[in-house]
Structures are given as C-alpha cells and as structure tokens.
Amino acid sequence: MDINPYQPPQADILVSSDIANADVIRKAHINHEASIKSVGTLYYLGGVLCIGIVLSNFLGRDTEELTAVVIGIGTIFLLIALAQFWIGSGLRKLKPSSRIPTAVLSGIGLLGFPVGTLISSYIMYLVLSKKGRVVFSEEYTQVIAQTPHIKYKSIVVWVVLGILLLIIAIGVIAAVATKAAD
C-alpha cells in the first residue's frame, strides 16, 4: 500500500521562507544589478554620441563631398550606435544575451588606455563575475519579480555616472574647440 492515511498532506506551497530567501538574494546582488543597469545607460549614451558623429559626418556637406570613405565611416558609426542601443537595452533589462556582446565591446575598449582600460575592465568584471552570472540568470529574474519592494538606494552610481558624463562632455568640447581653431 503506497498511500499512508496518517501522513500529512503534501503540497507545493510558497512559504514565507522562500520570500525571505528571495529578499536575501536580492539584497546581496542589488548593488551589482544597479551597476549593470547603469552601464546600460552608458551604452545608450555611447549610441547617442555615435548618432551625433553620423549626423555631423553627413550634415553640412555637399553631395559631391560624400565619398565612399565618408559614407563608409558613417555606416560604421551607425552600426556601432545600433549595437550600443541593443546592448544597452539588454543590460537595462538584464537579458543574458547581452553579456557576451558587452564583454566583446569592453574587450575592444581595453585599448583606450588609460580611462577606457579602467572603465572597460570594470564593465567586464560586472558582466563576467559570479555575481554578474547570478544577476543575468532566469532565477534572479524570478527573485526580482518576488521582491518589488526592494529598491536600490545609493547616490554613488549617479555620482560616477555624472563624472563620466562630465569627462565625455569635456572631451567633446575640447574636440570642437580644436576643430574650430583649425
């Protein structure tokens, strides 16, 4: 006889310890999650800058000046912009498919010594580390769904993002000023 009438009933019930466990997991990874989403925002910014390069490449030129080289460079920057928008969207949504393209672009960014090397190595750490694998996992997506009450509260990410934007703005202003001086 397989059925025991004295055995307590068995059911798959979500107990409060599962929610508490989800809280612990989310709190342990919330900083990493926020950093990855911030990197996604930086990729959006990079896409906008590439679109700006494309527009500046084509606007103000006569059709005779549009050589194959100019069109080729514009096309390359347009493709880079689209890739950055796609990767940024994937990072903001914590899609696992965005990890490898992010690592590849960060690998290329390592060549931009010294600032590009520092930023790119940090981005590679974020997406390829153990915590990064957890944050991009399907299980963590379920943890996020179970813990909507847990929010990231830190100004550090915004300060770092602001400093990076300031550095980029100074670089753009310097480039424009140098071009105007020529």
Side-chain angles (χ1 to χ4, degrees):
M1 185 164 161
D2 291 334
I3 300 174
N4 181 355
Y6 301 106
Q7 181 179 3
Q10 301 292 319
D12 293 331
I13 300 173
L14 181 65
V15 292
S16 62
S17 65
D18 290 342
I19 294 173
N21 191 27
D23 282 355
V24 169
I25 292 171
R26 183 81 187 273
K27 287 178 182 175
H29 293 85
I30 191 85
N31 290 339
H32 210 83
E33 174 189 340
S35 295
I36 290 171
K37 288 182 177 182
S38 296
V39 168
T41 303
L42 285 176
Y43 273 98
Y44 280 148
L45 178 66
V48 168
L49 289 175
C50 285
I51 294 291
I53 291 171
V54 170
L55 292 176
S56 69
N57 196 22
F58 291 118
L59 296 178
R61 290 186 187 255
D62 293 332
T63 54
E64 294 86 31
E65 293 179 2
L66 291 177
T67 63
V69 174
V70 172
I71 293 172
I73 290 172
T75 304
I76 289 170
F77 274 99
L78 182 63
L79 292 174
I80 291 171
L82 293 174
Q84 288 193 344
F85 284 128
W86 179 73
I87 291 170
S89 173
L91 290 174
R92 297 285 304 159
K93 296 176 184 174
L94 301 176
K95 290 185 178 179
S97 61
S98 64
R99 286 181 69 224
I100 300 302
T102 302
V104 169
L105 279 183
S106 295
I108 295 168
L110 290 173
L111 299 174
F113 185 79
V115 176
T117 303
L118 293 172
I119 294 170
S120 295
S121 59
Y122 179 65
I123 292 171
M124 289 180 81
Y125 159 73
L126 287 174
V127 296
L128 299 176
S129 68
K130 184 176 179 182
K131 280 189 174 184
R133 286 191 300 271
V134 170
V135 168
F136 282 105
S137 70
E138 184 64 35
E139 293 83 14
Y140 193 76
T141 303
Q142 295 170 359
V143 167
I144 292 172
Q146 292 174 359
T147 58
H149 57 280
I150 297 178
K151 303 288 182 197
Y152 181 73
K153 297 173 188 152
S154 176
I155 195 161
V156 173
V157 173
W158 291 109
V159 169
V160 170
L161 183 61
I163 291 171
L164 288 175
L165 288 174
L166 181 64
I167 290 170
I168 291 169
I170 290 170
V172 169
I173 291 169
V176 170
T178 304
K179 189 170 184 173
D182 290 339

